[in-house]
Amino acid sequence: MIVVTGATGNVGRPLVQALASAGETVTAVSRRPSDTEPQTGVRHRQADLTEPESLKPALDGADALFLLVAGGGEGVSASGILDVAGAAGVRRVVLLSSQGAGTRPQSPSHAPLRAFEDDLRQSGLQWTVLRPSGFASNAFLWAASVRERRTVAAPFPGVGLPVIDPADIGEVAAAVLREAGHGGHTYELTGPSPLSPREQAEAIGQALGTPVRFVEQSRDEARAQLLRFMPEPVVDGTLAILGEPFAAEQRVSPAVEQILGRPARTFAHWAQRNIAAFR
Ligand SMILES: NC(=O)c1ccc[n+]([C@@H]2O[C@H](COP(=O)([O-])OP(=O)(O)OC[C@H]3O[C@@H](n4cnc5c(N)ncnc54)[C@H](OP(=O)(O)O)[C@@H]3O)[C@@H](O)[C@H]2O)c1
């Protein structure tokens, strides 16, 4: 049995779907009840990662764990979760980390995830670390202004980054959880090509069939907007990557194609599949 934390989010949903389609038995975990249709082989359990003991019922009978720590990891103890998982019989853990844990390990935004990675590597459990670039689903931030005013407001309009479709992360995670040979590996995962915010807005307009206006935000305006729902260190780390990316953060990684045997999905594909949110 495979336990998937973060099961109702951007990555967790397609991951649970991929595992269930492959015939695996899955326990999907989140704090709130799941609103997805029941699927064969999938049960849902409520637990809170800030209270590792609450995971015990979900981990009963598990051999593998997909670990997703949302919100910058505040209040979450890696060793606490890994101890509970190991005691429950889990042997293999796949951690969703972030590209920034590799490129900016000292920055306050990414140091907690890097520490999480290090704890996992030292846990004695078989481990795999996934380090994705920025998610295509971050564009949901623009959904209301596209619906209401056909406008995208974002900073750094011309800076291209290889954003990744979270469904690709979910499918990679499913492959890594199911196949042998991924233990002890750290995979950087990106989309197929760098794309700027202005180009993302154009792709949303194409999927809508109507142009979307682009308005450049100042860094301060973007910061104020992001601070409404993200912790301050995460906001500043995110803006640093969006505005002044390192060369390593603009590079396309071959890992998605190597693991899945097909190219990574484009942002345009993500926009087409999720266009209902922007109508
Ligand atoms: N967005 C990016 O550009 C980006 C880039 C690189 C890495 N990442 C990493 O990706 C992860 C976010 O993935 P996502 O977009 O799939 O997340 P998401 O859509 O925000 O979903 C978060 C999931 O985690 C659950 N959750 C949140 N807090 C929890 C807790 N304390 N205990 C148990 N479950 C909890 C949520 O359900 P409930 O709320 O019901 O608990 C939900 O299922 C983060 O670790 C982030 O560092 C993101």
Side-chain angles (χ1 to χ4, degrees):
M1 189 266 283
I2 299 174
V3 173
V4 174
T5 61
T8 55
N10 297 304
V11 173
R13 279 178 201 269
L15 168 56
V16 169
Q17 177 68 52
L19 290 172
S21 302
E24 298 287 349
T25 306
V26 181
T27 299
V29 174
S30 58
R31 289 168 303 181
R32 290 166 292 176
S34 170
D35 61 2
T36 45
E37 295 288 311
Q39 296 173 80
T40 308
V42 180
R43 62 175 189 168
H44 183 270
R45 291 286 178 274
Q46 287 175 250
D48 190 331
L49 292 177
T50 63
E51 296 164 20
E53 298 286 314
S54 73
L55 281 167
K56 275 186 175 169
L59 289 167
D60 191 24
D63 39 52
L65 169 66
F66 175 76
L67 191 49
L68 182 154
V69 184
E74 220 168 307
V76 179
S77 150
S79 55
I81 294 171
L82 296 171
D83 285 350
V84 168
V90 168
R91 291 288 158 261
R92 192 184 330 182
V93 178
V94 176
L95 173 67
L96 183 72
S97 180
S98 171
Q99 186 184 51
T103 55
R104 301 173 190 250
Q106 315 291 343
S107 97
S109 55
H110 291 92
L113 267 177
R114 180 57 177 254
F116 226 99
E117 290 186 2
D118 294 341
D119 283 350
L120 174 58
R121 293 189 183 100
Q122 285 155 22
S123 67
L125 300 167
Q126 192 194 105
W127 59 267
T128 307
V129 171
L130 307 181
R131 287 180 176 168
S133 59
F135 293 4
S137 48
N138 294 344
F140 281 134
L141 180 62
W142 305 329
S145 68
V146 171
R147 279 196 311 270
E148 290 156 19
R149 299 184 293 282
R150 293 288 182 248
T151 298
V152 164
F156 321 120
V159 180
L161 291 168
V163 294
I164 183 164
D165 189 326
D168 279 350
I169 305 172
E171 286 182 33
V172 165
V176 167
L177 285 159
R178 300 188 66 237
E179 295 167 3
H182 296 292
H185 287 274
T186 298
Y187 294 120
E188 188 171 86
L189 306 175
T190 72
S193 58
L195 209 66
S196 68
R198 199 187 287 283
E199 289 168 325
Q200 291 178 43
E202 280 167 18
I204 292 168
Q206 273 161 18
L208 269 178
T210 178
V212 167
R213 199 165 67 93
F214 189 91
V215 177
E216 180 171 354
Q217 273 180 329
S218 69
R219 189 188 198 100
D220 284 349
E221 286 167 341
R223 191 170 187 276
Q225 185 184 22
L226 295 177
L227 278 172
R228 282 187 227 133
F229 59 93
M230 280 160 71
E232 192 169 6
V234 179
V235 170
D236 288 327
T238 301
L239 288 172
I241 294 175
L242 293 177
E244 302 94 28
F246 299 145
E249 292 163 343
Q250 294 189 289
R251 242 188 337 255
V252 171
S253 160
V256 169
E257 184 156 6
Q258 283 168 352
I259 294 168
L260 297 182
R262 59 151 177 87
R265 295 184 178 99
T266 61
F267 181 83
H269 195 279
W270 178 88
Q272 283 155 15
R273 293 196 331 274
N274 291 280
I275 202 61
F278 298 87
R279 274 217 171 89

